[in-house]
Amino acid sequence: TLIRSPEYSSVAICTSNITEFESKVEFQRPAVDLINHLQFFIDRKDFNALGDLLGIEPKVASNFISIEAMQLHQLDLNEDYMTLGKFNINIIVRSNKFYNEIEDGFLYYFNNNKFLIDLSSLYFDGRRRLHNDVLKEINDLQAQRGFKKLGDFINTEVTGSNAVNEIFYLSSMRERINLEMSYELLSYVQPFSRISKPNNDLLSWIILCAILSFIFGLFVALIKEVKTN
């Protein structure tokens, strides 16, 4: 591209379960803050440090011009903004050849953060213990069905009908826990769009046309002057 090097914009839609691990209602704020922190290294042109955080080569990291994450919102029926459980990652890069490395890099950044590793491990350990307790209670209730009086599930005697209700409730809890066990620190709802044309392509052509027009005008003026003389 003429005049200046090309710049490519791309966007990915992501989601994160960090707030579930922390038991907080902050939507996607922790993940958004972590992504926006990376701009610090771009501004200081420290692409070695940026590459280390993303697990990519410095030559790939040096392609970043900007990284910005934004919480997504949606208008509801009352035309009020509703916060979604998703966010955008907007990037501008100098080359369109490294989208795969960049996507893997953001995943690496989250999955190798010690604080997030400890946080998610603690969460999953608790979920596994709860899952095992729920399975044990389901098995105990199923074994007791058919008896007039059942064992003490919640410190009360329950009937066969109540046991069925308890089993249904515990089965629902088990499925919810299975879903929670699939939570991730970062996942892509929509990966980065593979843009092939640079942002400044149109500008370059405008500048080129302007230069050519100027040169052509000078050429015409020169011809007129020669003919006059």
Side-chain angles (χ1 to χ4, degrees), residues 20 36 52 62 70 79 99 103 105 108 118 120 130 159-160:
E20 281 82 1
N36 288 334
D52 288 341
S62 65
M70 297 180 62
E79 297 189 352
Y99 288 124
E103 285 176 358
Y108 178 93
D118 293 342
S120 58
L130 180 58
T159 64

Side-chain angles (χ1 to χ4, degrees), residues 7-224:
E7 298 177 1
Y8 299 87
S9 294
S10 187
V11 59
I13 302 175
C14 304
T15 187
S16 171
N17 295 114
I18 295 176
T19 52
E20 281 82 1
F21 298 148
E22 293 184 311
S23 299
K24 294 181 179 179
V25 184
E26 295 181 338
F27 299 100
Q28 300 294 296
R29 179 63 181 271
V32 168
D33 288 346
L34 278 170
I35 293 294
N36 288 334
H37 174 66
L38 296 172
Q39 186 63 37
F40 172 87
F41 301 95
I42 298 174
D43 292 340
R44 284 153 182 77
K45 301 187 184 304
D46 191 347
F47 297 111
N48 288 323
L50 181 61
D52 288 341
L53 286 173
L54 298 178
I56 58 179
E57 294 293 327
K59 69 175 182 180
V60 177
S62 65
N63 280 278
F64 280 108
I65 297 173
S66 71
I67 300 173
E68 182 181 18
M70 297 180 62
Q71 170 74 56
L72 289 178
H73 300 85
Q74 177 179 304
L75 282 174
D76 61 18
L77 296 178
N78 296 321
E79 297 189 352
D80 294 325
Y81 279 103
M82 177 177 60
T83 303
L84 302 178
K86 302 178 183 66
F87 64 97
N88 279 348
I89 301 178
N90 301 286
I91 61 172
I92 300 177
V93 291
R94 294 183 175 85
S95 172
N96 63 348
K97 300 182 184 300
F98 301 108
Y99 288 124
N100 290 335
E101 290 87 342
I102 290 171
E103 285 176 358
D104 292 343
F106 286 122
L107 293 174
Y108 178 93
Y109 176 48
F110 277 71
N111 293 328
N112 289 273
N113 180 294
K114 186 179 184 307
F115 172 77
L116 297 181
I117 291 172
D118 293 342
L119 182 68
S120 58
S121 296
L122 186 64
Y123 177 87
F124 288 132
D125 287 344
R127 294 293 95 181
R128 276 189 286 269
R129 288 194 298 269
L130 180 58
H131 184 269
N132 292 336
D133 290 343
V134 168
L135 286 182
K136 182 178 183 304
E137 295 292 352
I138 291 175
N139 292 333
D140 289 346
L141 283 171
Q142 288 176 334
Q144 293 167 357
R145 286 186 63 187
F147 291 90
K148 186 174 181 180
K149 290 187 177 181
L150 300 173
D152 189 6
F153 172 59
I154 51 174
N155 297 324
T156 60
E157 289 186 343
V158 292
T159 64
S161 177
N162 286 337
V164 172
N165 292 334
E166 293 288 0
I167 292 173
F168 178 79
Y169 169 76
L170 290 169
S171 296
S172 299
M173 182 182 292
R174 177 191 60 194
E175 295 307 311
R176 190 185 75 235
I177 296 171
N178 286 336
L179 176 62
E180 292 168 345
M181 290 295 293
S182 67
Y183 284 171
E184 296 184 64
L185 293 168
L186 177 71
S187 56
Y188 290 103
V189 178
Q190 176 63 51
F192 285 102
S193 47
R194 267 55 176 172
I195 303 300
S196 59
K197 290 188 176 296
N199 301 343
N200 50 338
D201 190 52
L202 177 60
L203 177 62
S204 298
W205 278 109
I206 292 174
I207 294 174
L208 176 61
C209 290
I211 292 173
L212 291 176
S213 297
F214 178 73
I215 294 174
F216 180 73
L218 289 177
F219 180 71
V220 172
L222 179 62
I223 292 177
K224 287 182 178 179

